[in-house]
Amino acid sequence: MSGGVPHRSTRLRHVLHGPRPEAVPVLVARACALVGLLDIAAGVFPRFRHSRMHTIAEVLPGALGPFAAALSLSTGVLLLLLAHGLRRRKRRAWRAAVALLPAGALAQFTYRHSLLGVVISLALLAPLLRHRDQFAALPDPRSRWRALANFVLMGAGSLVLGLVIVSVHPKTLVGDPSLADRITHVLYGLFGFEGPVDYQGNTSWTVAFSLGALGLLTAVTTIYLAFRPEHPAAHLTAEDETRLRALLDKHGGRDSLGHFALRRDKAVVFSPSGKAAVTYRVVSGVMLASGDPIGDVEAWPGAIERFMDEATAHSWTPAVMGCSETGGEVWTRETGLDALELGDEAVVDVADFSLAGRAMRNVRQMVKRIERAGYETRVRRVRDVGDAELDRIRRAADDWRGTDTERGFSMALGRIGDPSDGDCLIATAHKADEQPGPYGDLKAILHFVPWGTDGASLDLMRRDRSADPGMNELLIVAALQAAPRLGITRVSLNFAMFRAALARGEKIGAGPVLRAWRGLLVFLSRWFQIESLYKFNAKFRPRWEPRFVVYRASGDLPRIGFAAMQAEGFVNLALPLPRFLRRRSHTPRACAHAVAERDVRAA
């Protein structure tokens, strides 16, 4: 393996096993979830309260008999909420469970004088206390937006569960209320008021208390999340950025994704010597690093160890997106994690690039056609662009963004024209119109970040929708032709996911499995531009550098994939904000081809 990484015994073996859920947390979490479901069933379904199963359920925490449906329901919901935190070994979930189980035992003894109920509650409590050292994970990053999300989700869940509660008493229901009446009754009941639906006997009180308990639980959890101490999402501090830039100045030429570590919505851990670092973001409990560690390869193991320690402390799932082959070897050797090839990065060597030859005919013809239409290009360092023009470029890039949500994580810087990014490149296309638009003659933008002292890595691609197809090809060619003047010898273009499968699957002799896999990728390309991105990159005759995802277990891959899609902006679980309140941001290279799709097809 290149890079001179020293071989040593794996110091992270205990770290590797640390994040794995131990037997006790998993069993306790499952027990809490089962008890929670039984409690909810005991509080909602009248037949369950008179079944044989209820003879077991009524002695569990919260199930205090048929007259305590509201308490059983709320306790069950709380236990279900706690089960996920207990599985992840969260300290706060452990404290809540330790408080809830004795309360259930006390209620069993005082209300029903049930010694069996007390024994069962204490039996669930015993492993929590005995193995309390396994529930030491720190809280996840959070903000007070979580309170609003809780209100929406809990409110929706309470509405659905309330409709079930209102509808499971057909024998005592008075009349035949419509669905609108039932929804109205639930909404009134959540706020503690009487609705239009009526029942015979004591059922009205049972339904009213159950709905009130759901409404109270929603209100209490929302208030708690709104007023608890805030732990904002990690971000890159000014000191961290300064240290990272110093490492990139010395070792930035190793990885084309190195400069993207300077995204300010990432956190960073440094090696004990300070000579290496790993940047990451936590998404849905997954600790996502991107690219290779920054800095001296000899110090990578120390930074990796700090990364794994942080994952263990918070019970996060560790993962690395888009590392190189060398980086993947170090990660897997030092931690015992596994690696899977994710795709290939397209890298063009400037000295070998030429528009001559049959292979470049399509690109050559498109570029000449656009130039004849009156377009001209400019390729400059950011520091050489005037403030007024730079502001116009920023506004145009924001307005031309193809999606409402910000996209990008592993291959996006997330900003244009920052004073600290003077070495970045901007390639722009211009055409004078009879009626100039809001951005003058500006028609398209490409932004590159530095890759060491002699390279550039594509960050984002934007163009005016009214511009002719082929703007991206025009600007990439212009950047490659201007590269020698700017001292650039290599340019990293885009990342083509599953490129090898697409390339091999279309060749003669490909087997049925490979052809089926390629067919699935082509189908998915309708939404994710997998095939079109590969074909776009292939136009420039690059060399392909494999990139890998590093993961702990195969069972983690779906979760890691979903977290990566969230980080990249393909899946957005946050509540939408009006456009004028959103932070201005810029789509990265890996996602820009949704805008460039028409160009790809035209070529």
Side-chain angles (χ1 to χ4, degrees), residues 148-171:
L148 183 57
N150 177 83
F151 177 76
V152 173
L153 295 177
M154 286 287 291
S158 297
L159 179 62
V160 173
L161 193 56
L163 283 174
V164 175
I165 294 172
V166 170
S167 304
V168 293
H169 304 274
K171 294 183 179 180

Side-chain angles (χ1 to χ4, degrees), residues 34-55:
L34 178 60
V35 171
L37 290 174
L38 292 175
D39 286 344
I40 292 174
V44 172
F45 300 103
R47 292 183 179 180
F48 183 83
R49 293 197 294 269
H50 301 287
S51 65
R52 291 183 179 179
M53 191 66 183
H54 184 253
T55 59

Side-chain angles (χ1 to χ4, degrees), residues 316-327:
W316 291 330
T317 300
V320 185
M321 298 296 297
C323 66
S324 69
E325 187 171 3
T326 299

Side-chain angles (χ1 to χ4, degrees), residues 573-598:
L573 301 182
L575 296 175
L577 293 175
R579 186 174 178 84
F580 69 90
L581 290 178
R582 297 179 191 140
R583 184 179 64 182
R584 292 178 178 266
S585 55
H586 306 285
T587 304
R589 61 179 184 172
C591 307
H593 291 277
V595 179
E597 182 71 9
R598 183 160 64 98

Side-chain angles (χ1 to χ4, degrees), residues 352-395:
D352 299 332
F353 177 77
S354 173
L355 287 177
R358 183 178 180 83
M360 298 297 295
R361 183 180 60 180
N362 289 338
V363 177
R364 181 173 64 251
Q365 290 177 347
M366 177 172 285
V367 169
K368 288 182 177 179
R369 177 177 56 81
I370 297 173
E371 290 176 342
R372 287 196 300 268
Y375 288 89
E376 65 175 25
T377 60
R378 303 169 192 169
V379 182
R380 296 157 290 175
R381 299 281 185 183
V382 166
R383 58 174 173 264
D384 298 326
V385 182
D387 292 340
E389 184 179 2
L390 199 56
D391 180 68
R392 186 167 67 251
I393 290 173
R394 289 195 198 99
R395 290 186 290 107

Side-chain angles (χ1 to χ4, degrees), residues 37-293:
L37 290 174
L38 292 175
D39 286 344
I40 292 174
V44 172
F45 300 103
R47 292 183 179 180
F48 183 83
R49 293 197 294 269
H50 301 287
S51 65
R52 291 183 179 179
M53 191 66 183
H54 184 253
T55 59
I56 299 175
E58 68 179 355
V59 297
L60 294 174
L64 305 181
F67 302 105
L71 181 58
S72 180
L73 185 63
S74 57
T75 304
V77 173
L78 286 174
L79 287 173
L80 280 179
L81 294 176
L82 290 175
H84 178 66
L86 290 173
R87 184 180 181 87
R88 295 185 59 203
R89 305 183 295 109
K90 292 297 183 180
R91 190 67 175 180
R92 289 182 181 272
W94 178 86
R95 291 172 179 171
V98 167
L100 184 62
L101 290 175
L106 180 63
Q108 286 287 337
F109 183 76
T110 57
Y111 182 81
R112 298 185 66 254
H113 307 290
S114 172
L115 293 178
L116 180 59
V118 174
V119 170
I120 292 179
S121 296
L122 296 181
L124 290 175
L125 180 64
L128 283 174
L129 296 177
R130 180 179 178 183
H131 301 279
R132 58 184 178 273
D133 57 323
Q134 295 189 26
F135 299 89
L138 300 175
D140 292 344
R142 60 177 183 254
S143 70
R144 293 195 169 90
W145 282 105
R146 183 75 178 272
L148 183 57
N150 177 83
F151 177 76
V152 173
L153 295 177
M154 286 287 291
S158 297
L159 179 62
V160 173
L161 193 56
L163 283 174
V164 175
I165 294 172
V166 170
S167 304
V168 293
H169 304 274
K171 294 183 179 180
T172 59
L173 192 63
V174 177
D176 186 19
S178 64
L179 179 61
D181 290 335
R182 297 177 191 226
I183 293 176
T184 302
H185 190 85
V186 172
L187 293 176
Y188 275 59
L190 293 176
F191 288 94
F193 299 103
E194 186 177 353
V197 180
D198 196 12
Y199 301 88
Q200 299 174 1
N202 294 327
T203 304
S204 293
W205 289 101
T206 302
V207 171
F209 278 119
S210 298
L211 294 177
L214 287 175
L216 181 62
L217 191 61
T218 300
V220 169
T221 54
T222 301
I223 292 172
Y224 165 73
L225 291 173
F227 289 97
R228 67 177 177 172
E230 186 173 5
H231 291 263
H235 64 279
L236 206 63
T237 66
E239 180 183 356
D240 290 338
E241 185 173 342
T242 300
R243 296 178 65 184
L244 283 175
R245 288 185 183 276
L247 293 178
L248 288 172
D249 289 341
K250 295 180 180 179
H251 308 282
R254 178 177 293 277
D255 186 14
S256 63
L257 306 187
H259 200 86
F260 297 125
L262 299 177
R263 282 186 65 104
R264 288 164 185 163
D265 56 358
K266 290 183 178 181
V268 61
V269 289
F270 289 91
S271 65
S273 65
K275 294 181 179 180
V278 175
T279 59
Y280 67 91
R281 186 194 298 173
V282 179
V283 183
S284 297
V286 177
M287 191 176 181
L288 279 175
S290 58
D292 291 344

